[in-house]
Amino acid sequence: MSLFSSTIHWIEQGLRYASLRQQAIADNIANVDTPGCKAKDIRFQAELDRALQLEAKRTNPNHFPFRSEQNGKIIVTANANISYNHNSNSVDIDQEMSKLAENQIYYNALIEQLNGKFNTLKTVIKGGK
């Protein structure tokens, strides 16, 4: 028997992804002027799709099927085919700042969900008071 629901596990995985993505974005921003630097990103969707395929159950054949990819890991990717500067650097500062803001919103939403789960547990422990 698990003390916590699987939701807390999935929130934890989402926070892990947000942390890794934050690190990759920070590295990209720090190397915006470094010659030959290739922008990195973290891919998490494949892992989420795989997990949904394993965990989710279709209760009605009319429901949409859950997508699945074979890879199933958090992957660091570098875009080597694009060059924004004359020095073969592929870091676009505007795009990185946009990703940074998006990642921060995602992280804050997960933290709010986690706080809600813990507040619910706290209420149960206190006996609904």
Side-chain angles (χ1 to χ4, degrees):
M1 182 178 138
S2 175
L3 179 60
F4 301 113
S5 69
S6 63
T7 305
I8 291 177
H9 168 73
W10 292 116
I11 292 172
E12 177 187 1
Q13 293 302 314
L15 289 171
R16 180 172 165 250
Y17 158 72
S19 175
L20 289 171
R21 189 156 193 235
Q22 182 79 11
Q23 184 177 4
I25 294 167
D27 287 347
N28 290 343
I29 292 171
N31 291 306
V32 71
D33 292 325
T34 304
C37 179
K38 302 301 176 192
K40 296 176 191 150
D41 200 5
I42 306 295
R43 205 177 81 198
F44 179 66
Q45 191 63 41
E47 173 65 17
L48 182 61
D49 288 344
R50 184 190 67 78
L52 280 174
Q53 187 67 29
L54 294 175
E55 296 282 328
K57 307 284 187 276
R58 282 176 56 182
T59 57
N60 186 317
N62 293 330
H63 292 164
F64 289 114
F66 296 99
R67 294 179 303 168
S68 177
E69 292 183 22
Q70 298 297 324
N71 203 333
K73 295 190 190 276
I74 296 174
I75 300 170
V76 178
T77 60
N79 196 350
N81 298 329
I82 296 175
S83 193
Y84 291 114
N85 299 324
H86 63 284
N87 60 6
S88 300
N89 186 311
S90 71
V91 178
D92 178 6
I93 190 67
D94 294 329
Q95 186 177 18
E96 295 303 318
M97 295 306 284
S98 175
K99 286 180 185 178
L100 186 67
E102 176 187 327
N103 195 57
Q104 187 64 45
I105 291 168
Y106 177 74
Y107 179 86
N108 288 342
L110 288 174
I111 291 296
E112 288 296 319
Q113 288 179 339
L114 191 60
N115 283 337
K117 283 289 186 183
F118 286 139
N119 284 336
T120 301
L121 287 171
K122 190 166 99 176
T123 302
V124 169
I125 290 170
K126 287 183 172 181
K129 296 178 184 177

